Amino acid sequence: MPMLGAVVAPHPPVLLPEVGRGRQRELAATHQALEQAAKAVSAWEPDVLVVASPHTVLYEDYFHIAPGAGAAGDMAAFGAPGLRLEADYDQPLREELVRRARAEGLTAGIQGQRDPALDHGVFIPLYYLRRAGVRCPILRLGLSGFSPLDHYRLGRCVAEAVEALGRRAVFVASGDLSHKLKEDGPYGFSPRGPEFDQAVTAALAAGDFAGLLTLDPALCTQASECGLRAFQMMAGALDGLAVDARLLSHEGPFGVGYAVALFQAAGPDPSRRFAQGCRRRQDERLAARRAGEDAWVRLARLALETFVTTGAPLAQLPDDLPAELTGTAAGAFVSLHRDGQLRGCIGTILPAAENLAWEIAQNAVSAGCQDPRFSPVRAGELDQLEYSVDVLSAPERVSSPGQLDPRRYGVIVSCGGRRGLLLPDLDGVDTVEQQLAIARQKGGIRAGEPYAIQRFEVVRHR
């Protein structure tokens, strides 16, 4: 059986005594669980470890697979430069995986390496595995902005490549859970943090990989999760296999969720192929959302779909638009999401077109094809897009941040000719300080520079 099993492993550097200097004792359950998991993996005698880490190079539209013959890494960034590990890469397996991923229509390869060193997401699980006697080569994978299903499909390609080369492999899914479990944690507290951790640990404990693939994207964003896509890739690597699932620990004393889980493969099980069911549920959700779109969102969709499929903008507006669209003028933003990730957002603060309808139509095309952060939307993506349209009130000057509310008001900050805007009520933006910091960053306004603040309200259409 080529895929022997998998491990979910968190990666807090403080776990390591050389870094923690006593604080690691607060993670005793995680430490003991990682030792237990590493001992089990050692007994399986793998030929290769396939390690997916959120801290390896991550691209929005590309799965990066670490190139070269191997790599080394240390904990210098965490105050322990003498703590060092080296690993050889399984180069034939890497070549086979790239070939199979591309045949599957996935964009993957060895281009775009920024730092060859082993990141801490790889280092920490490897530290425990090495201590348990696991000395085999590794294959190091980055995550991407692609969908949960695409991460699952890449994991399935891993299993196929492993089988083709006759390897005995263990998948190591490195990742923490929510970063919003405590007020004094790195991102503060959100009730969605514990909710996310509960959902993920329940899925891990039950071996419910479908549950990992179908979590609400808003929940994941609001919880500031770390490793979910690595877990989804792991699920694909165990596609079609029965597993003995064990959740070994879960704790979060520092405001970040750390879970350790072990999955031992127990033979074929055709009922545990989750891709088709995931795709069906995704299509049903998108169809339901599309059926509920109002005239504002339908117009944005029509405008972008017309441009992408014909190469030309709308020649005329639909006849049945409400008077609010044809008889008024206002600034508007059109936002596109795919698989819970932003896919484009462009808008106008003040009206630039003869009416709101044309404002939305023009900004929809810009959001899909002219947002410099993203490649233009392709025809094959159109059915997967979710739209929202924000109609803006006229901006008004405020004298202090105390007059802001990130749920009610958007902000515009300006310094000289530089200006940054952030819409209200965005997932993960919970405080005025966060809102202003992001708006300043978007406007290129450095910390300490004086800036003016305006606020505005929106009517959001989804």
Side-chain angles (χ1 to χ4, degrees):
M1 188 161 48
M3 290 303 306
L4 304 175
V7 178
V8 165
H11 48 244
V14 72
L15 260 178
L16 310 183
E18 296 87 344
V19 175
R21 295 180 174 86
R23 293 190 72 202
Q24 73 275 10
R25 299 187 187 96
E26 299 180 60
L27 291 174
T30 300
H31 169 73
Q32 292 166 9
L34 281 170
E35 287 194 326
Q36 181 181 350
K39 183 178 179 180
V41 171
S42 181
W44 297 345
E45 298 181 343
D47 301 323
V48 62
L49 301 172
V50 181
V51 187
S53 165
H55 298 285
T56 291
V57 178
L58 186 154
Y59 290 102
E60 186 71 25
D61 56 357
Y62 185 73
F63 285 112
H64 176 76
I65 304 170
D74 59 41
M75 287 287 103
F78 304 98
L83 191 55
R84 178 179 172 85
L85 288 176
E86 297 181 358
D88 295 329
Y89 290 150
D90 188 330
Q91 298 176 73
L93 181 60
R94 180 177 62 213
E95 293 170 5
E96 183 67 14
L97 173 57
V98 171
R99 187 183 70 78
R100 288 180 177 272
R102 291 176 177 172
E104 182 69 13
L106 296 169
T107 308
I110 62 173
Q111 302 303 314
Q113 178 167 263
R114 299 171 189 162
D115 182 355
L118 299 175
D119 61 273
H120 72 277
V122 176
F123 189 105
I124 292 163
L126 199 60
Y127 171 93
Y128 280 88
L129 289 160
R130 290 287 192 259
R131 281 165 49 109
V134 182
R135 304 290 177 186
C136 60
I138 72 170
L139 186 65
R140 180 181 169 208
L141 310 179
L143 311 180
S144 76
F146 291 133
S147 69
L149 185 57
D150 285 342
H151 284 80
Y152 187 91
R153 291 169 59 213
L154 186 69
R156 195 165 56 187
C157 290
V158 167
E160 292 170 355
V162 163
E163 183 170 11
L165 296 187
R167 299 288 196 266
R168 292 167 51 85
V170 172
F171 198 100
V172 180
S174 177
D176 302 333
L177 303 189
S178 171
H179 284 62
K180 290 194 172 185
L181 299 184
K182 297 178 69 175
E183 289 289 355
D184 59 354
Y187 295 91
F189 174 77
S190 166
R192 309 234 69 186
E195 182 183 348
F196 175 85
D197 274 29
Q198 182 178 5
V200 171
T201 53
L204 295 176
D208 175 18
F209 294 162
L212 297 174
L213 293 168
T214 55
L215 285 169
D216 178 8
L219 169 63
C220 301
T221 300
Q222 292 166 14
S224 295
E225 64 84 16
C226 167
L228 180 60
R229 286 169 287 179
F231 309 161
Q232 292 163 344
M233 201 182 292
M234 172 200 74
L238 298 178
D239 178 71
L241 294 175
V243 295
D244 173 19
R246 286 184 283 166
L247 178 66
L248 302 180
S249 70
H250 173 243
E251 59 184 343
F254 306 133
V256 178
Y258 305 125
V260 181
L262 185 66
F263 303 92
Q264 183 171 7
D269 183 349
S271 71
R272 291 184 58 79
R273 298 189 183 278
F274 300 106
Q276 185 174 356
C278 174
R279 186 179 291 109
R280 182 178 63 252
R281 284 188 288 272
Q282 181 182 33
D283 290 345
E284 289 171 351
R285 183 182 65 80
L286 289 170
R289 174 161 176 146
R290 185 163 184 162
E293 291 174 348
D294 65 12
W296 286 252
V297 176
R298 287 199 303 272
L299 176 60
R301 183 183 290 277
L302 174 65
L304 180 58
E305 290 183 349
T306 298
F307 185 83
V308 171
T309 55
T310 70
L314 278 177
Q316 63 182 36
L317 296 173
D319 295 330
D320 58 348
L321 293 178
E324 295 166 85
L325 282 167
T326 58
T328 62
F333 274 71
V334 176
S335 302
L336 312 174
H337 286 80
R338 182 181 178 190
D339 302 312
Q341 304 294 316
L342 185 67
R343 186 61 181 87
C345 179
I346 294 288
T348 43
I349 299 171
L350 299 172
E354 61 185 89
N355 58 35
L356 179 56
W358 282 117
E359 198 84 31
I360 292 170
Q362 293 167 11
N363 291 345
V365 173
S366 297
C369 302
Q370 297 172 18
D371 189 327
R373 297 169 294 179
F374 304 95
S375 59
V377 166
R378 304 179 299 275
E381 296 179 85
L382 291 173
D383 287 343
Q384 302 301 311
L385 294 180
E386 299 179 63
Y387 293 68
S388 64
V389 176
D390 289 296
V391 181
L392 278 62
S393 69
E396 59 179 358
R397 184 78 175 261
V398 300
S399 58
S400 77
Q403 296 173 272
L404 300 177
D405 178 345
R407 290 296 165 209
R408 178 179 178 184
Y409 297 112
V411 296
I412 304 166
V413 297
S414 55
C415 177
R418 290 167 290 158
R419 183 168 61 180
L421 177 147
L422 197 67
L423 295 169
D425 198 22
L426 298 178
D427 289 340
V429 182
D430 302 316
T431 67
V432 170
E433 291 75 20
Q434 287 177 303
Q435 188 181 45
L436 290 173
I438 296 170
R440 291 200 313 271
Q441 182 183 35
K442 292 177 71 173
I445 300 171
R446 295 183 298 274
E449 287 190 284
Y451 59 90
I453 305 172
Q454 293 173 288
R455 71 183 185 184
F456 59 90
E457 295 183 89
V458 305
V459 177
R460 179 160 294 164
H461 300 265
R462 286 177 167 167

